[in-house]
Amino acid sequence: MIVGIGVDLVDIGRFERTIERTPRLLDRLFSAAERTRAPRSLAARYAAKEALIKALGGSDGLHWSEVEVASEASGRPHFVLSGSTAAVVADRGITALHLSMSHDGLYATAYVVAEARESPEDLATRRSVARTSGFSPSEEGGML
């Protein structure tokens, strides 16, 4: 079940100027592996981390240094969470994070969807509501 979505848009030129003025931000915001990337790619990764915070409903317990955006062999981006950030996300019941990023010309953007498994109590409540409203839940827990 989707429990949060987040989107962020970054002006690449503004991001580059900020990094030039304050180079230590690179160490605070990005992992060693991420810091090897081009500025437009870093801007997209920054957007991804901001979108993640929005999808989770806030930054309580999250640390930038414990959130890395990595790529699968296919190029598909995904989050690698570590430390207390991974524990906080798990404690919130998040079972999957979906990430899409893009950059073109002046802007970089990212979109995140956070998913959680539905608790048995939530499923029972939804089924009860479905019965009284005339809808029938599917076996997977969705509405038909």
Side-chain angles (χ1 to χ4, degrees):
M1 152 173 93
I2 294 174
V3 294
I5 59 169
V7 65
D8 197 61
L9 179 70
V10 174
D11 179 316
I12 295 171
R14 183 176 178 198
F15 177 82
E16 288 176 323
R17 290 188 298 278
T18 299
I19 294 301
E20 287 171 6
R21 277 193 318 273
T22 317
R24 69 182 179 274
L25 280 177
L26 287 173
D27 292 332
R28 288 183 48 210
L29 299 175
F30 302 105
S31 70
E34 289 173 313
R35 290 192 300 267
T36 64
R37 299 201 169 258
R40 68 182 183 277
S41 183
L42 288 176
R45 280 161 169 70
Y46 178 78
K49 294 176 185 192
E50 284 285 339
L52 173 64
I53 289 169
K54 293 171 184 174
L56 296 175
S59 62
D60 291 345
L62 302 180
H63 303 282
W64 287 90
S65 60
E66 296 176 345
V67 178
E68 180 177 347
V69 177
S71 298
E72 296 176 357
S74 66
R76 178 181 176 200
H78 66 277
F79 289 107
V80 178
L81 306 178
S82 60
S84 62
T85 297
V88 165
V89 170
D91 289 346
R92 291 183 185 182
I94 306 299
T95 56
L97 293 167
H98 305 279
L99 169 62
S100 180
M101 301 185 310
S102 184
H103 52 76
D104 185 35
L106 302 175
Y107 299 100
T109 189
Y111 188 83
V112 174
V113 175
E115 282 189 274
R117 286 210 171 92
E118 198 166 24
S119 72
E121 295 82 16
D122 290 342
L123 181 57
T125 299
R126 198 160 48 77
R127 285 185 174 155
S128 175
V129 168
R131 278 191 292 276
T132 60
S133 65
F135 287 99
S136 175
S138 71
E139 289 300 314
E140 292 80 34
M143 300 298 282
L144 294 177

